[in-house]
Amino acid sequence: MSPTDPEVEKMRDAARAMMKNAYCAYSGFPVGAAVLTDGGKIFVGSNVENASYGLTMCAERNAIFQAIAQGHRDLKAVVVVTPTETPTPPCGACRQVINEFNPDADIFCFGKKDVVQQFTLAELLPHAFGPQDLGGK
């Protein structure tokens, strides 16, 4: 996939719209995300912060968990939109969750003015821990 694919553009627009729903009372950093399943369904999420910072939920995991809750475990791509000049890639926890559902997922990060960076998960999370590391599962 590429950033100009119609599916990626649709995901970018959906993720950008989700930024408006972010609850970022502490960081002031709204994030929107969208995930695409192999079946072509798009699920979205925004970050939801909490006064107990460890309970904050990132937009990427929010979107992925929405897909999982609807029975989709076949992620194809992830889009993240942030209000920064330079696109911001997923955090380590989000990278680990992406790995769980597709270590080969395409990851697109958009900043202001549709500046984009595309990554593979291997670039963002080399030597990832996954189901294959659980000894025979």
Side-chain angles (χ1 to χ4, degrees):
M1 297 184 81
S2 78
T4 58
D5 284 346
E7 288 176 313
V8 175
E9 290 178 342
K10 187 175 178 182
M11 293 170 65
R12 179 202 61 214
D13 294 344
R16 181 166 286 121
M18 286 305 296
M19 286 175 64
K20 296 178 181 110
N21 294 337
Y23 178 72
C24 51
Y26 305 101
S27 71
F29 189 74
V31 180
V35 297
L36 176 69
T37 67
D38 280 340
K41 290 198 66 151
I42 294 174
F43 293 88
V44 294
S46 61
N47 55 321
V48 180
E49 295 180 350
N50 190 281
S52 175
Y53 294 123
L55 298 179
T56 293
M57 178 58 60
C58 296
E60 300 92 311
R61 285 182 285 145
N62 194 331
I64 292 167
F65 295 162
Q66 296 290 328
I68 301 307
Q70 294 297 315
H72 299 273
R73 290 175 173 76
D74 53 351
L75 299 184
K76 182 176 180 182
V78 177
V79 166
V80 181
V81 178
T82 56
T84 53
E85 295 294 331
T86 302
T88 305
C91 74
C94 291
R95 294 172 192 195
Q96 185 63 45
V97 171
I98 294 166
N99 183 70
E100 183 75 16
F101 297 103
N102 185 356
D104 297 317
D106 291 311
I107 302 170
F108 301 91
C109 305
F110 290 89
K112 288 182 180 178
K113 301 179 187 171
D114 290 335
V115 174
V116 63
Q117 291 180 333
Q118 181 175 356
F119 300 98
T120 65
L121 190 60
E123 291 173 307
L124 295 176
L125 189 65
H127 312 289
F129 179 85
Q132 74 281 356
D133 297 306
L134 293 177
K137 293 204 180 219

